[in-house]
């Protein structure tokens, strides 16, 4: 391919990415040209398909806003939460989505993923659904939504990392931790809402939440998705409900 053609292609890519950024679309590096048409299909609050938001400080802070006294620091490709009580929340409300978070908790800290939050700053049981991923030393309710019974107990890794997969589709919230479906139920709040990660330190203010991967994609219009008990942990298989 002639050098001039390559140069024109690079210039076009820069113009497309620039125009998309000005319009407010949240574009992930690597998806600008190949997935541009699918990144902003309905509104500018949706992330692109399979967007990784936990690998760099700049990308993480572009999607999340910090609240409270928790310190969110960055060590190579991980995000570490420590210190006081707090959370991060997406800057825009999210419609139906699929979320994967790979994490590890140290020294009795408590952590949760919040979905369908009506308020970005103040999160309560009445305006959001809290999915516990670390119980502060009490893991009996990990994988459940606060206030709802779990389908099965989560089997957590004491030394390695854990992987939680969450699918939110209309009234349905499904949770799978390390291959076990812990929650699969329908809730009252079916519209969009903020996604948040909450942190509470363990005894004496100790403990950390280490995030290795935060990967999210929205469910496309007309798509129906569900977690299958037979699905591999890292699968992206789409199943249909009857």
């Amino acid at each position: 391919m002639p050098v001039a053609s390559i140069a024109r292609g690079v210039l076009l890519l820069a113009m497309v990415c620039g125009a998309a950024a000005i319009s407010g679309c949240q574009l992930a590096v690597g998806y600008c040209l190949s997935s541009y048409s699918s990144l902003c299909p309905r509104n500018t609050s949706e992330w692109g398909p399979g967007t990784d938001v936990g690998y760099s400080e700049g990308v993480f802070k572009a999607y999340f806003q910090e609240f409270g006294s928790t310190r969110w620091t960055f060590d190579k490709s991980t995000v570490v939460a420590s210190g006081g009580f707090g959370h991060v929340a997406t800057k825009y409300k999210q419609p139906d989505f699929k979320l994967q978070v790979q994490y590890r908790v140290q020294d009795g800290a408590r952590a949760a993923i919040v979905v369908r939050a009506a308020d970005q700053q103040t999160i309560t049981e009445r305006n959001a659904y809290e999915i516990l991923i670390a119980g502060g030393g009490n893991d009996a309710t990990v994988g459940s939504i606060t206030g709802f019974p779990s389908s099965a107990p989560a089997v957590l890794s004491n030394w390695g990392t854990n992987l939680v997969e969450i699918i939110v589709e209309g009234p349905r919230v499904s949770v799978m931790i390390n291959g076990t479906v812990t929650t699969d139920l329908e809730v009252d709040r079916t519209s969009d809402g903020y996604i948040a990660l909450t942190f509470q330190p363990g005894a004496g203010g100790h403990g950390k939440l280490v995030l290795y991967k935060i990967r999210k994609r929205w469910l496309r219009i007309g798509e129906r998705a569900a977690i299958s008990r037979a699905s591999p942990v890292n699968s992206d298989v789409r199943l249909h409900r009857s």
Side-chain angles (χ1 to χ4, degrees):
M1 180 180 292
V3 175
S5 297
I6 296 175
R8 284 196 296 270
V10 172
L11 178 61
L12 177 60
L13 174 61
M15 292 174 64
V16 170
C17 288
I22 293 174
S23 68
C25 294
Q26 302 296 326
L27 295 182
V29 175
Y31 290 100
C32 183
L33 185 61
S34 62
S35 301
Y36 172 71
S37 61
S38 64
L39 281 174
C40 306
R42 287 176 284 177
N43 60 63
T44 57
S45 69
E46 295 179 346
W47 301 355
T51 300
D52 291 311
V53 298
Y55 288 112
S56 75
E57 182 174 2
V59 174
F60 183 85
K61 290 187 174 181
Y63 287 117
F64 291 106
Q65 184 170 347
E66 299 179 22
F67 299 94
S69 57
T70 299
R71 295 187 301 272
W72 301 86
T73 56
F74 301 84
D75 181 13
K76 297 181 180 178
S77 61
T78 62
V79 181
V80 180
S82 62
F85 291 63
H87 69 275
V88 292
T90 54
K91 295 183 178 180
Y92 304 95
K93 289 185 176 181
Q94 305 295 315
D96 294 350
F97 62 88
K98 179 176 181 177
L99 178 72
Q100 287 184 329
V101 178
Q102 185 181 11
Y103 69 98
R104 179 166 55 91
V105 177
Q106 300 174 351
D107 301 327
R110 183 185 187 277
I113 297 172
V114 176
V115 300
R116 292 287 198 244
D119 187 90
Q120 184 187 37
Q121 183 171 358
T122 303
I123 296 174
T124 68
E125 292 183 20
R126 294 187 175 184
N127 71 0
Y129 297 106
E130 179 191 60
I131 301 166
L132 194 64
I133 62 173
N138 179 15
D139 295 335
T141 57
V142 169
S144 66
I145 298 177
T146 301
F148 294 85
S150 61
S151 302
V155 180
L156 299 177
S157 171
N158 294 324
W159 304 105
T161 63
N162 298 285
L163 181 65
V164 56
E165 182 178 59
I166 300 171
I167 292 177
V168 178
E169 179 198 5
R172 188 174 186 181
V173 178
S174 302
V175 181
M176 182 167 64
I177 296 183
N178 295 336
T180 299
V181 177
T182 59
T183 293
D184 190 8
L185 51 79
E186 292 192 351
V187 295
D188 296 330
R189 192 171 298 110
T190 61
S191 61
D192 57 7
Y194 297 101
I195 302 172
L197 303 171
T198 69
F199 175 83
Q200 296 179 16
H206 301 292
K208 294 180 181 180
L209 168 66
V210 183
L211 301 169
Y212 295 90
K213 177 176 72 172
I214 307 172
R215 187 172 180 83
K216 183 262 180 189
R217 75 169 177 84
W218 45 263
L219 300 181
R220 298 166 183 85
I221 296 175
E223 177 186 0
R224 289 178 142 188
I227 290 177
S228 169
R229 294 179 186 272
S231 296
V233 173
N234 287 309
S235 71
D236 195 21
V237 177
R238 300 175 201 165
L239 303 177
H240 292 271
R241 288 188 288 171
S242 58

